[in-house]
Amino acid sequence: MAPGPRYGDRGIAESGDHGIAESRNHGVTKHPEIKADRSFVLYKPPPAIRDPALVEEFLERAKFIADDLNWLLALPHDKFWCQVIFDETLQKCLDSYLRSAPRKFDVLWDCHPEVNELQKCLHRSVFLTFLRMSTHKESKDHFITPSVFGKIIYNNFLFDIPKIMDLCVLFGKGNGLLLQKMIGNIFTQQPSYFSDLDETLPTVLQVFNNILHKCGLQCEGASAEPQKLEEKVTVTAGNMPLQELKDIVLYLCDTCTTLWAFLDVFPLACQTFQKHEFCYRLASFYELAVPELESAIKKRHYEDNSCENIQPFIEEFLQIFTSVLQERRFLRDYDELFPVEDDCAGAAAAPVACVSGVELDSLISQVKDLLPDLGEGFILACLKEYGYDTEQVINNILEDKLVPYLDKLDRRMQRQLKPDPTPLVSSRYNVFQNDEFDVFSRDAVDVSRIQKGKRREKDTTRSLVNDKRLVAEQRQRYSQYSVVLEELPLQPGAAQPYEDYEDEYDDTYDGNQVGANDADSDDELISRRPFTIPQVLRPRGQEEGQETEEEDEEEEEEAEKERTKDHFVQDPAVLRERAEARRQAFLARKGHKHDSSAVVGNAKGHGQSRETVQERRKKEANKSTRANHNRRAMADRKRSKGMIPS
């Protein structure tokens, strides 16, 4: 935005000498040799993320710039101006800060505290440097005449219109009075800056035209150019990429904020702006561009934040304010800082969810109760237009404030119900579908089979016995199985097919001895029943053995009776004896007799036999089944026997 005509001829003093600028009052001479050999680094903005490497780089660079500027501010008057005039790295450093320093509309990053502190110190040093550069008289002994000062700052490009605007937008907040004196002194000592401002304004106005062109809008006014026939507007603010929309909005904010800050600090520039009809051009631009950009931003914002996400916060906001209505002083002070009307307007501008079903019928009935002459179709169209707000619909209808297209509709228009593509009757599925009582699938139903309530049985025992219906039903079934007839009908003169059956015993072969003389073995003949010696013919010893067996059986019966007795706690010694006796009896029946002598073996030092070694190995392998290794199993066994109370 810097004007171009004065950038070609570079001079330093009125005398035309390129290396010397002389004050007429004190004869102060400034030579390039006085300039110190010091290199100023360029400024870079703070990092957007808390990356340790980026933070360290910014801190190091900002520390260098702050130290160099503090050194510059500490120089004497003549050396300071010599360094400012002849050091190009200083001018590049200051220009980089004016271009890249964060503005108030930039995104606020979560910067490191040390970064914020150093940024404030650097901001102050840059402002003091420009403040000293705009002051031609520091004291009675150190000053530059106004005419020479004006030529120095103009011919050496220490200040220009873009720099002055950047100074206003960066340092205007909190330093308004100093900036007014600063910029007023610059324009007073060098009136050529007014002509530069006049040449700069067409460039500013061209910025507005470029924004309109980017948004697909046709600019108006004196500078409006006719649109080419082959040029087709395909990109608008609503369909352009998101990043491009952000760049346009930020560019517009930067331009407008800079102009507002400059005119606020230096009001004398308003006359130059008015020469170019800036107010008319600004109003026309605002009418075209701002609504379009605002609509595009809201559309993108509502797409990112759906109604389901916003609605709970709106309800919570209204609930909080409803609960604090009695706190009048708080609400009054809150409304002064944050107008509640704006919040309510923002809540009303939130997207409204589509209403249907019973809720929609209820809204239509609310309007129809007050305005019965209106048709449901007309009421539905009004509800859709005003966000399903019944109060607003009723108010606009009564005051004739409806939008034009609603006024053209027939107020008796009925609601068109959409037919259901799948009727309920044909789409239903249940267990009674297509049965004998399904009235939806058949026209005739047997009413006699329908019983209302519980069926009452009044039949008695006699009536049940006399009821032979079941017998009659089963008679035909069982008649098919009757293959034996009592009498077989014969034709007259036919012979009988067989003789009558005689039920007399046939004793023809009773005298024969069947099998008496066969060569069968005795074992085969007596295999059915073992041979038993009669007791009279038995020897005496066998009788005693029989008596002994009978006595053993009697003892076992007595022992069994003893076991069946209910002992609360039996003697463990008796139980162990019984268990040992059962074990010995079991081993005796099996014919097993364990010989433990093989385990003992011979005395130590005399060697062991093969049987002893095998028995010891077997005992070692199977010792877990005996001794104290099965305590839990034995305890369970004792408990089941009643030896341990559970």
Side-chain angles (χ1 to χ4, degrees):
M1 294 172 61
R6 66 179 182 83
Y7 283 5
D9 49 347
R10 181 179 291 274
I12 296 178
E14 183 181 4
S15 60
D17 189 356
H18 182 75
I20 301 174
E22 182 176 353
S23 173
R24 296 180 179 179
N25 291 351
H26 295 277
V28 179
T29 304
K30 299 178 176 62
H31 299 279
E33 296 82 11
I34 304 178
K35 180 182 75 70
D37 189 9
R38 198 178 188 95
S39 179
F40 290 80
V41 297
L42 299 179
Y43 171 81
K44 289 186 178 180
I49 56 176
R50 284 196 176 190
D51 188 2
L54 297 178
V55 171
E56 184 179 359
E57 179 185 0
F58 172 79
L59 292 177
E60 184 179 6
R61 181 182 294 270
K63 188 72 167 55
F64 285 154
I65 298 174
D67 293 342
D68 291 341
L69 292 180
N70 291 334
W71 168 82
L72 179 66
L73 292 172
L75 291 177
H77 182 261
D78 53 347
K79 292 184 178 181
F80 171 81
W81 279 102
C82 187
Q83 194 75 27
V84 168
I85 293 172
F86 297 107
D87 193 347
E88 295 183 359
T89 61
L90 172 61
Q91 297 302 322
K92 292 180 179 179
C93 175
L94 295 175
D95 290 346
S96 65
Y97 185 85
L98 294 178
R99 287 195 307 269
S100 305
R103 267 64 171 172
K104 63 180 181 180
F105 55 82
D106 289 338
V107 179
L108 297 178
W109 303 105
D110 185 16
C111 297
H112 194 275
E114 191 174 357
V115 172
N116 292 332
E117 189 65 27
L118 189 56
Q119 175 67 25
K120 291 179 181 179
C121 296
L122 183 60
H123 193 72
R124 180 176 180 274
S125 300
V126 172
F127 177 69
L128 293 178
T129 301
F130 279 106
L131 181 61
R132 189 174 182 184
M133 288 169 55
S134 62
T135 304
H136 66 281
K137 184 177 181 180
E138 296 182 2
S139 64
K140 294 181 179 181
D141 299 329
H142 303 91
F143 65 92
I144 303 175
T145 56
S147 59
V148 175
F149 171 76
K151 293 179 180 180
I152 289 176
I153 62 175
Y154 189 80
N155 295 333
N156 292 281
F157 305 103
L158 300 184
F159 291 98
D160 54 25
I161 298 301
K163 284 184 180 180
I164 293 173
M165 290 184 176
D166 288 336
L167 287 173
C168 293
V169 75
L170 286 176
F171 305 104
K173 186 177 181 180
N175 302 291
L177 296 177
L178 287 176
L179 273 177
Q180 288 178 5
K181 294 180 180 180
M182 232 175 95
I183 297 175
N185 187 41
I186 292 173
F187 277 87
T188 301
Q189 306 305 331
Q190 184 53 267
S192 299
Y193 282 111
F194 283 102
S195 61
D196 290 346
L197 178 62
D198 186 64
E199 295 176 0
T200 304
L201 282 178
T203 307
V204 176
L205 296 175
Q206 186 61 35
V207 171
F208 294 152
N209 294 335
N210 293 338
I211 293 176
L212 291 175
H213 181 73
K214 287 287 184 180
C215 296
L217 302 173
Q218 184 65 31
C219 57
E220 299 177 0
S223 62
E225 298 179 358
Q227 187 177 1
K228 298 179 181 179
L229 295 177
E230 65 273 7
E231 185 179 1
K232 296 182 179 179
V233 179
T234 58
V235 179
T236 61
N239 59 11
M240 68 173 53
L242 180 61
Q243 186 60 42
E244 187 176 355
L245 179 62
K246 287 182 179 179
D247 294 340
I248 291 176
V249 172
L250 291 178
Y251 185 40
L252 180 59
C253 290
D254 189 12
T255 303
C256 296
T257 306
T258 302
L259 293 176
W260 174 81
F262 173 68
L263 294 176
D264 184 60
V265 173
F266 189 61
L268 293 177
C270 295
Q271 299 177 0
T272 306
F273 276 77
Q274 191 60 28
K275 292 179 182 179
H276 295 267
E277 298 181 350
F278 181 79
C279 294
Y280 301 105
R281 300 284 297 278
L282 181 63
S284 176
F285 169 80
Y286 188 93
E287 189 68 22
L288 289 173
V290 173
E292 188 73 17
L293 293 174
E294 184 180 6
S295 176
I297 293 173
K298 286 183 178 181
K299 181 180 178 181
R300 302 291 178 93
H301 180 69
Y302 292 155
E303 288 177 355
D304 296 339
N305 302 287
S306 60
C307 180
E308 289 78 6
N309 298 333
I310 297 177
Q311 197 65 28
F313 296 102
I314 296 177
E315 294 177 358
E316 185 178 3
F317 172 78
L318 296 177
Q319 183 179 2
I320 292 174
F321 266 83
T322 304
S323 61
V324 297
L325 285 177
Q326 65 274 12
E327 311 296 341
R328 298 182 179 179
R329 182 173 298 177
F330 167 77
L331 292 177
R332 182 190 61 193
D333 296 341
Y334 179 87
D335 185 64
E336 291 180 359
L337 296 176
F338 312 101
V340 180
E341 185 178 358
D342 297 344
D343 296 336
C344 295
V352 180
C354 184
V355 180
S356 60
V358 180
E359 187 176 0
L360 180 60
D361 296 338
S362 176
L363 296 177
I364 294 176
S365 63
Q366 290 180 19
V367 180
K368 198 170 181 60
D369 290 342
L370 294 177
L371 304 171
D373 297 337
L374 300 179
E376 292 187 359
F378 178 77
I379 297 174
L380 179 60
C382 295
L383 288 174
K384 290 181 179 180
E385 174 65 25
Y386 296 106
Y388 299 95
D389 187 358
T390 55
E391 295 182 0
Q392 189 176 4
V393 169
I394 295 172
N395 184 63
N396 291 339
I397 292 175
L398 294 177
E399 296 181 1
D400 291 334
K401 292 183 179 180
L402 294 175
V403 293
Y405 89 93
L406 290 178
D407 272 338
K408 297 178 182 179
L409 295 178
D410 183 12
R411 300 206 171 191
R412 298 182 179 273
M413 181 177 62
Q414 296 300 321
R415 181 181 177 186
Q416 297 179 357
L417 298 177
K418 296 181 180 180
D420 191 359
T422 57
L424 181 61
V425 175
S426 61
S427 63
R428 70 184 185 93
Y429 295 98
N430 53 46
V431 295
F432 304 107
Q433 190 172 3
N434 297 327
D435 63 359
E436 58 178 333
F437 300 110
D438 189 4
V439 296
F440 296 104
S441 61
R442 61 179 62 196
D443 298 333
V445 177
D446 188 3
V447 184
S448 62
R449 291 179 53 81
I450 299 176
Q451 173 66 33
K452 294 183 179 180
K454 184 178 179 182
R455 188 185 299 276
R456 295 183 179 181
E457 299 292 344
K458 298 182 179 181
D459 297 334
T460 60
T461 305
R462 184 178 298 276
S463 62
L464 292 176
V465 172
N466 296 332
D467 188 5
K468 302 299 182 181
R469 288 180 299 175
L470 182 61
V471 177
E473 293 175 359
Q474 300 296 332
R475 180 173 297 170
Q476 183 180 1
R477 177 184 296 178
Y478 286 101
S479 64
Q480 299 177 3
Y481 297 100
S482 60
V483 295
V484 179
L485 299 177
E486 296 180 358
E487 295 182 359
L488 183 64
L490 296 176
Q491 297 295 333
Q496 292 185 359
Y498 53 86
E499 298 293 337
D500 293 338
Y501 175 73
E502 296 181 358
D503 194 16
E504 294 184 0
Y505 178 71
D506 187 8
D507 55 354
T508 305
Y509 302 99
D510 287 350
N512 297 336
Q513 296 181 0
V514 180
N517 298 325
D518 293 343
D520 297 331
S521 63
D522 295 339
D523 295 336
E524 184 179 355
L525 293 174
I526 65 174
S527 59
R528 296 184 179 179
R529 181 178 180 184
F531 181 77
T532 304
I533 301 174
Q535 187 176 2
V536 179
L537 300 178
R538 289 179 186 175
R540 187 173 183 179
Q542 292 184 3
E543 292 181 28
E544 294 177 357
Q546 182 69 22
E547 293 175 359
T548 304
E549 289 178 359
E550 292 177 359
E551 291 176 0
D552 293 339
E553 290 177 359
E554 291 176 0
E555 290 178 0
E556 289 178 0
E557 291 177 0
E558 291 177 0
E560 185 68 20
K561 292 180 180 179
E562 287 291 329
R563 285 195 298 269
T564 55
K565 292 183 179 180
D566 186 12
H567 296 284
F568 182 72
V569 178
Q570 297 184 3
D571 188 1
V574 175
L575 295 175
R576 284 195 294 270
E577 290 178 0
R578 292 177 182 174
E580 183 64 23
R582 286 194 299 272
R583 178 174 171 276
Q584 294 298 335
F586 175 76
L587 294 176
R589 285 194 301 270
K590 294 294 184 180
H592 172 73
K593 184 177 181 182
H594 180 71
D595 187 11
S596 61
S597 61
V599 180
V600 178
N602 300 327
K604 187 176 182 181
H606 295 279
Q608 305 297 335
S609 63
R610 181 179 179 183
E611 294 180 357
T612 303
V613 176
Q614 290 180 352
E615 289 295 331
R616 287 182 178 178
R617 188 181 297 112
K618 186 184 298 183
K619 180 180 179 180
E620 179 68 21
N622 300 322
K623 68 180 182 179
S624 62
T625 60
R626 298 184 302 276
N628 203 25
H629 297 279
N630 54 353
R631 293 192 296 267
R632 179 170 297 181
M634 295 304 294
D636 294 341
R637 183 177 178 184
K638 288 180 180 180
R639 187 176 291 107
S640 65
K641 295 295 184 179
M643 288 184 276
I644 301 176
S646 56

